[in-house]
Amino acid sequence: MQEEGKKLVLFFGPPGSGKGALSQMFVEKFGWLQLSTGNLCRKHCKEGTDIGQQINIAIKSGKLVSDQLIINMVMDYLKNDTNGCQAVILDGFPRTVFQAEEFVDLLKIYYSKFTIFFIKLLITREELVARVLTRRTCSNKSCQSVYSEREESCMPLVPGICDKCGNKLFQRDDDAIDSISGRLDIYYEHENKLLNFYKNTGQKIYNVNSQDTIENVFKNIEKIIGGECDID
Ligand code: ADP
């Protein structure tokens, strides 16, 4: 049974807008759960599962993974991993209208009592490219923490090493210069359709300026969703 007072936070924004880093901060500060479809995809790739092999091709070429694979992964995750948590952050899902439509059904099953906060991160394309090119990710598939080579507050304590688990950092293939432009185009292609879908379903969308220090962006989101209320 779901209890009242639980929160579902949807981060929506282009690659590099800070979804992953902000999610990590909420996980660390409040013990919330992060469902990152990007992390799930990369985990499957590393494990070399059947799904992983299909996903690998899409990710490496900067394309979206098929809607049905994503929905199946999310459903598996929700069935097993969200029991007993106070808040769940969705990072990178839903990303297409098809996924959003399917998600409406999932909401009824898993999140009927959750308050939903839809957070849209605003940032210029120029800044996104700079961020993605300097993003580094932990190579440990169970960690995948994100760091920056450019933003001081997001740098690792030891260059090239993850603060949390001590594994090596690397640059994702899809964060290389060749992939970024295409990835941003794909994101923007879906953005308007998704926003219209949410507006039509009456979902309130909170716009947050993400072109600021990560600490300030975090504080602004915290004010919207009232994070401090959830520590028990
Ligand atoms: P970013 O937000 O920087 O694109 P993610 O880690 O969220 O990074 O996603 C990386 C890749 O994983 C995407 O480019 C895409 O191929 C795949 N992916 C993640 N989430 C989805 C999704 N909801 N639908 C389709 N593909 C996805």
Side-chain angles (χ1 to χ4, degrees), residues 3 22 72 109 112 130 136 151 201-202:
E3 294 157 29
L22 290 161
N72 292 347
I109 303 170
S112 61
R136 297 295 176 267
E151 294 301 319
T201 55

Side-chain angles (χ1 to χ4, degrees), residues 17-87:
S17 57
K19 303 180 299 287
L22 290 161
S23 301
Q24 260 172 235
M25 289 171 84
F26 280 99
V27 169
E28 277 158 30
K29 190 157 178 197
F30 300 125
W32 290 359
L33 221 74
Q34 172 194 12
L35 166 53
S36 159
T37 42
N39 285 359
L40 277 182
C41 286
R42 283 184 290 277
K43 194 160 182 267
H44 273 287
C45 293
K46 283 215 163 193
E47 286 167 354
T49 58
D50 285 348
I51 298 179
Q53 286 168 21
Q54 297 172 55
I55 291 174
N56 208 7
I57 301 167
I59 292 201
K60 285 209 161 147
S61 58
K63 303 226 166 71
L64 290 184
V65 172
S66 87
D67 283 330
Q68 202 51 58
L69 277 180
I70 294 284
I71 300 286
N72 292 347
M73 277 194 305
V74 170
M75 281 174 67
D76 275 352
Y77 180 90
L78 293 180
K79 268 186 237 152
N80 299 319
D81 289 336
T82 60
N83 290 339
C85 62
Q86 270 304 306

Side-chain angles (χ1 to χ4, degrees), residues 122-206:
L122 307 174
I123 180 166
T124 63
R125 189 169 175 129
E126 200 182 20
E127 173 67 12
L128 291 169
V129 172
R131 283 192 189 178
V132 170
L133 287 178
T134 52
R135 171 159 68 185
R136 297 295 176 267
T137 305
C138 176
S139 54
N140 172 0
K141 67 179 188 304
S142 308
C143 177
Q144 299 194 45
S145 293
V146 283
Y147 297 88
S148 168
E149 280 204 329
R150 189 185 64 137
E151 294 301 319
E152 218 162 303
S153 61
C154 302
M155 284 178 183
L157 297 171
V158 178
I161 301 293
C162 177
D163 293 350
K164 291 176 196 118
C165 69
N167 279 278
K168 281 194 181 155
L169 307 182
F170 78 116
Q171 183 178 32
R172 283 166 33 186
D173 289 343
D174 58 341
D175 280 351
I177 186 90
D178 301 349
S179 300
I180 293 170
S181 185
R183 283 173 65 204
L184 289 174
D185 289 345
I186 290 173
Y187 168 80
Y188 290 117
E189 188 192 314
H190 289 282
E191 184 188 72
N192 269 343
K193 292 179 209 159
L194 257 179
L195 290 176
N196 282 336
F197 173 83
Y198 285 118
K199 279 179 193 150
N200 290 338
T201 55
Q203 175 63 51
K204 181 172 171 49
I205 296 168
Y206 295 92

